[in-house]
Amino acid sequence: LTGSPTTRTTPRGLRLWVKLALLAGVGVVATHSIHLAVGTGIAGRSLVRAQESLGRGIARLVAAEAADPILTHDTATLSQLVVRAAATDGIGYCFVVRGGDALATSFPGGTPEGLVRLRADGRTGPVVVVDGASRFLDLEEPILGGSAGVVRLGIDMAIMQTTRRSIAAPLGALALLVMLLGAGAALVIGRSIARPLDDLVATADRFDPAVALAAVAPRGGREIERLADRINSMMRRLRAAHDDRERVRTQALANARLATLGSVVAGVAHEVNNPLASLKVCVTLLREGADPQQRSADLALMDDALDRLRDVVRRLLDLGHPPQLDLAPTAVVDLARDAPRLAALSLRGQGISLDEIVDSGADDVPVRADRKQVSQALLNLLLNAAYVTPAGGRVRVRIRRRGDLRGIAVEDDGPGIPPALRDRVLDPFFTTKPAGEGTGLGLALARAIVDQHHGALELECPEQGGTIVTLWLPIVRASGPEVGPPGTHAGADPAPAA
Amino acid sequence: MQAIQVGLRAGLSAAVIAAFAPVVAGCSSSPYPEVRVELASAPATPTPAAPEAETLRFSVAAMLSPQDTFSSYSRVLERLGSALHVRVELVQRRTYAEVNELLASGKVDAALLCTGGYLELERKHPGTTEVLAVPVIRGESTYRSYVLVPAGSRARTLAELEGKRFAYTDELSLSGRHYVVHLLREAGRDPGAFFGSVQYTGSHDRSIDAVVRRVVDGAAVDSLIFDQLAATHPELTAGIRVIDRSPPFGAAPVVASTRLSPARRTQLRNALLSLSADPEATAALRVVGFDAFALPGPHLYDGAAAVLETSR
């Protein structure tokens, strides 16, 4: 959480509110389109049926009026009747058929053959007669039940088409208007829904439990307000947890510092106490007027005690103010051979054999190191190993490789480090040696040197016993003098732990 | 960006669909089948007449409206044709005079004439026709003229219809016109000036209808038609009151053109007289109010002729 960027999240696809707006817009348009299409279709059909009903009424009237002229062979009246009927607005033609022949017609030159034969197949329902762009709804009405013939009436559908289009035009405009309004409303609503969510996302992005953050203002509807409330509550809990953890960590650090200080003070007191006691005795003897021989011996003791005090102070200074390093690319193998050479004599005196083992993984990649300081640190490790290794045991020096680090491991056959002490063995003046046999600064100094090299000191206690202390150093890279601090490099092995 | 373009395209398409949906729907096809017909094509030629079997052209004077005549007499003539083994064609005209002309010119072979029409035909074209038979109604071959007024009318006599609207049936109709003219002449009134207005309805049923609808204040009709209507549709005649009944006149005769051969006329007479033996024909005759056909008596039309004499 603490490491998350504070920049606003940028989605790759469409924003939520755009999607909502599009969804709503498409929904409005689709619904409206279906409504319009179906509604206009129904209206159009109703119009046709209404027109048919009206036409059928006219046809029925003509059929009733035509009966007498037909029965009395009054063709003049019959012709007059059909011509008058055809002259009515919206009627395209009218004629009377009996026995397959047109008795009277409104067509000036006679009824078209195709029109007379149109119902030769016996159909009696409405038929749409199409002639180019002209359309007529052809209706048939029997006269005296068909025994005196039929009246045929053609309703000009141009009127219906005109009426339909006159309805369709404003409906189309209305559709566009509704769609625009719907799209606009969808945009506004979609944005109003998405904005509180965007605020929540931005707040989540910016959230840092170490920094006090203003709570999200609840808005955007009940559900989003509840979400904002939950996020605010979660942020408060995270902040409280972070504060608790910081308090505990600070307390632990203080405790560790106090423990280290206590250890240092106890070590210093212990180291200083013996020479001081010697000095006190010598001073007392000198006051009592010792003979010259004794006086000379006392002075020699005092000088030795002062040397020991000076040595303690120097070591403390070395620990507090490490010397300036003289770094140079150095082969790990060379580093691994320096210290054993110095310690060989001491180890042989204790009946311990020293094995210098170079792993097959060793390479020529140099590390950047102060050869003298690294040799000092390695010597401290070898002397510690020799101390815990019983006579006849072995101490091994081995080259190790882990990613961008190269290590020099010192392995002993000692009893290992009890788990309870592992966290303290690197503290200054911590020692398991009897009083007067060690200062407790060897490992602490070794770690200080390794830290200066941006390396690491790793302690391992295998189950079979013994201790492996590895001094890890970063290699010299082609693009730069050295790699960064240990633990930041990717490698096959886990990062070393100091 | 691509997603936005896709979205915009979808929105644009939807907009176009929405805008044009009603237009498309407005142009949608009708719910009826469509047939292409070239209206400028050649007109239909009349169907050539098929060689027909022998046809007897029979006319019925317009005592009823053409439609009622057609529906009432078609069945009777069909049975007559069946008895004669010929096809009988019903020929109608609007007036008695036109039917008389058809008979006189030989364009019809026989006809059921109104008594007045028959007497006029005999007067104008004597010997053109021969009476074959007369209808029998409830045992009589006579009928009367009824003078009708609406039931709510104050008129109790013909004289009280002076200045009113009156309906005659036909110029030649005995019961529908001549009888009323005869009464007025006998009363010393001028038939041409007595009524406020006069109209000719063309048939007795239309005259009755005109009185029912109060289109006229009075009318003179054939008693047979009125009684038949009162029997079949009493609700129609309930609004009518008869203020005058004429003496009986000889009923409308069936005449044959003397152009027909005597043998043919005899066949036709026999067929008419024997219709009552045909159950289907009897049922058809009942529809027009006849029981049967019979030979006419020797002085059947004397009374009618006298009335006509005074009414001319």
Side-chain angles (χ1 to χ4, degrees):
Chain A
L1 281 171
T2 53
S4 60
T6 55
T7 52
R8 194 185 179 93
T9 303
T10 306
R12 287 177 188 166
L14 290 175
R15 301 287 302 275
L16 174 63
W17 70 270
V18 176
K19 286 180 183 172
L20 286 171
L22 281 175
L23 184 66
V26 169
V28 166
V29 170
T31 309
H32 197 62
S33 300
I34 292 168
H35 182 219
L36 281 178
V38 173
T40 315
I42 291 171
R45 283 166 184 265
S46 299
L47 196 64
V48 172
R49 291 193 193 284
Q51 199 77 11
E52 180 212 335
S53 175
L54 197 65
R56 196 164 285 289
I58 296 173
R60 202 167 289 134
L61 201 63
V62 173
E65 289 297 312
D68 285 0
I70 290 172
L71 293 174
T72 58
H73 295 252
D74 186 357
T75 51
T77 303
L78 193 62
S79 292
Q80 200 176 29
L81 181 64
V82 296
V83 168
R84 260 207 323 265
T88 310
D89 279 347
I91 306 297
Y93 58 79
C94 181
F95 59 94
V96 173
V97 179
R98 189 180 191 186
D101 293 328
L103 300 182
T105 181
S106 64
F107 287 97
T111 315
E113 174 88 26
L115 206 53
V116 176
R117 309 281 172 234
L118 179 66
R119 295 175 182 276
D121 56 0
R123 61 178 140 190
T124 57
V127 175
V128 176
V129 172
V130 181
D131 179 27
S134 303
R135 296 163 68 87
F136 299 93
L137 186 63
D138 189 275
L139 302 175
E140 181 186 85
E141 187 65 31
I143 303 168
L144 294 178
S147 58
V150 295
V151 170
R152 294 273 299 281
L153 197 73
I155 301 168
D156 192 348
M157 296 181 80
I159 291 176
M160 280 178 271
Q161 294 295 101
T162 307
T163 308
R164 277 181 180 174
R165 290 197 177 110
S166 66
I167 293 171
L171 282 180
L174 180 66
L176 274 178
L177 183 65
V178 168
M179 194 210 65
L180 289 174
L181 289 176
L187 284 173
V188 172
I189 294 170
R191 189 134 177 82
S192 71
I193 291 173
R195 188 171 287 167
L197 291 174
D198 286 345
D199 290 348
L200 288 178
V201 171
T203 302
D205 285 346
R206 285 198 304 269
F207 177 65
D208 181 355
V211 179
L213 187 69
V216 183
R219 62 168 182 164
R222 189 179 300 171
E223 291 78 8
I224 299 176
E225 285 176 5
R226 285 177 61 192
L227 180 62
D229 183 53
R230 298 296 186 279
I231 287 179
N232 286 336
S233 172
M234 187 184 72
M235 288 195 300
R236 281 195 297 274
R237 287 200 302 275
L238 285 172
R239 173 128 176 93
H242 176 266
D243 290 348
D244 287 345
R245 196 170 63 247
E246 283 297 301
R247 259 196 309 278
V248 169
R249 195 169 70 87
T250 307
Q251 188 66 42
L253 279 175
N255 291 341
R257 281 199 197 98
L258 284 174
T260 303
L261 186 60
S263 176
V264 170
V265 168
V268 170
H270 179 77
E271 290 295 320
V272 170
N273 194 44
N274 288 341
L276 282 178
S278 299
L279 283 172
K280 184 65 180 175
V281 170
C282 289
V283 169
T284 304
L285 289 173
L286 287 173
R287 277 187 184 152
E288 290 173 353
D291 55 31
Q293 190 178 353
Q294 182 63 40
R295 191 174 172 177
S296 175
D298 290 342
L299 286 173
L301 280 173
M302 289 175 71
D303 190 41
D304 183 56
L306 287 171
D307 283 345
R308 285 170 63 187
L309 286 173
R310 188 183 60 190
D311 189 49
V312 168
V313 170
R314 186 177 53 79
R315 284 169 181 263
L316 282 172
L317 287 173
D318 284 348
L319 196 64
H321 300 285
Q324 192 69 30
L325 295 182
D326 183 13
L327 295 171
T330 311
V332 179
V333 175
D334 294 341
L335 291 172
R337 282 177 183 155
D338 285 349
R341 209 174 292 135
L342 295 172
L345 188 62
S346 172
L347 267 61
R348 264 199 302 275
Q350 297 176 47
I352 298 167
S353 58
L354 179 63
D355 297 336
E356 290 180 40
I357 302 168
V358 177
D359 284 0
S360 60
D363 52 23
D364 296 334
V365 177
V367 294
R368 194 169 182 80
D370 183 326
R371 191 165 178 170
K372 185 181 173 187
Q373 292 296 324
V374 171
S375 293
Q376 177 62 50
L378 202 54
L379 181 61
N380 288 352
L381 301 182
L382 283 169
L383 293 176
N384 271 354
Y387 183 81
V388 297
T389 301
R394 308 177 78 85
V395 170
R396 293 168 293 280
V397 175
R398 193 158 58 91
I399 306 297
R400 299 178 72 180
R401 178 180 172 187
R402 182 183 288 164
D404 291 337
L405 297 174
R406 297 294 179 270
I408 304 167
V410 176
E411 302 177 7
D412 61 51
D413 288 342
I417 305 169
L421 302 180
R422 283 176 192 168
D423 289 342
R424 297 180 60 197
V425 293
L426 296 179
D427 288 349
F429 294 106
F430 178 81
T431 182
T432 55
K433 295 174 185 173
E437 290 190 19
T439 60
L441 291 173
L443 279 177
L445 280 172
R447 189 175 77 166
I449 290 167
V450 169
D451 286 347
Q452 270 191 292
H453 283 78
H454 300 293
L457 197 64
E458 183 181 23
L459 287 177
E460 296 167 90
C461 296
E463 288 181 3
Q464 65 270 24
T467 302
I468 304 171
V469 184
T470 308
L471 191 153
W472 291 101
L473 293 171
I475 62 171
V476 177
R477 312 194 78 179
S479 58
E482 59 191 54
V483 297
T488 59
H489 302 282
D493 296 339
Chain B
M1 196 62 193
Q2 195 176 0
I4 291 173
Q5 285 176 347
V6 170
L8 286 176
R9 273 204 297 274
L12 195 61
S13 305
V16 171
I17 290 169
F20 286 93
V23 178
V24 172
C27 298
S28 64
S29 59
S30 71
Y32 307 118
E34 293 189 358
V35 177
R36 294 200 168 276
V37 175
E38 199 178 335
L39 297 180
S41 62
T45 51
T47 309
E52 290 182 352
E54 189 182 355
T55 302
L56 180 74
R57 294 168 58 80
F58 196 105
S59 185
V60 176
M63 292 171 284
L64 291 171
S65 67
Q67 293 180 46
D68 286 345
T69 303
F70 179 81
S71 58
S72 303
Y73 285 94
S74 291
R75 187 66 180 148
V76 175
L77 297 185
E78 189 185 310
R79 294 314 302 167
L80 184 64
S82 178
L84 291 170
H85 305 291
V86 296
R87 192 178 82 87
V88 178
E89 180 188 351
L90 173 62
V91 179
Q92 294 191 76
R93 290 295 182 267
R94 288 191 180 277
T95 62
Y96 298 167
E98 288 177 87
V99 175
N100 284 354
E101 285 302 317
L102 289 175
L103 278 168
S105 60
K107 290 181 178 171
V108 293
D109 303 312
L112 174 68
L113 294 180
C114 163
T115 301
Y118 163 67
L119 293 174
E120 179 66 15
L121 179 64
E122 277 299 300
R123 189 179 69 83
K124 273 192 168 180
H125 305 284
T128 305
T129 58
E130 174 192 359
V131 175
L132 299 179
V134 291
V136 178
I137 307 107
R138 288 186 289 279
E140 301 287 338
S141 289
T142 57
Y143 76 115
R144 298 167 190 271
S145 171
Y146 287 170
V147 178
L148 312 176
V149 293
S153 171
R154 292 180 180 175
R156 293 289 181 270
T157 62
L158 181 64
E160 292 175 35
L161 289 174
E162 184 177 5
K164 303 291 185 183
R165 298 167 299 171
F166 200 82
Y168 289 137
T169 303
D170 187 280
E171 190 79 29
L172 302 183
S173 175
L174 174 68
S175 58
R177 177 175 176 274
H178 285 300
Y179 173 67
V180 172
V181 172
H182 163 76
L183 288 179
L184 291 174
R185 290 240 165 93
E186 281 199 331
R189 308 303 298 266
D190 177 8
F194 180 76
F195 297 113
S197 67
V198 168
Q199 60 177 287
Y200 290 90
T201 62
S203 66
H204 295 283
D205 52 355
R206 284 180 176 167
S207 289
I208 295 169
D209 187 61
V211 176
V212 170
R213 295 179 186 279
R214 293 175 177 270
V215 176
V216 294
D217 300 311
V221 299
D222 184 331
S223 65
L224 297 179
I225 291 171
F226 183 84
D227 292 340
Q228 181 72 8
L229 191 65
T232 54
H233 299 285
E235 74 281 0
L236 291 179
T237 55
I240 291 176
R241 187 156 44 84
V242 181
I243 60 170
D244 190 280
R245 287 178 170 79
S246 72
F249 301 122
V254 176
V255 301
S257 169
T258 51
R259 293 170 190 254
L260 280 180
S261 67
R264 193 63 166 159
R265 278 181 265 164
T266 303
Q267 282 178 343
L268 183 54
R269 177 184 293 115
N270 292 338
L272 286 167
L273 295 177
S274 60
L275 275 181
S276 56
D278 175 2
E280 287 187 37
T282 305
L285 286 172
R286 295 249 184 257
V287 172
V288 295
F290 299 163
D291 299 326
F293 283 103
L295 291 173
H299 304 289
L300 184 62
Y301 296 106
D302 288 354
V307 167
L308 246 63
E309 197 60 37
T310 57
S311 66
R312 287 198 185 98

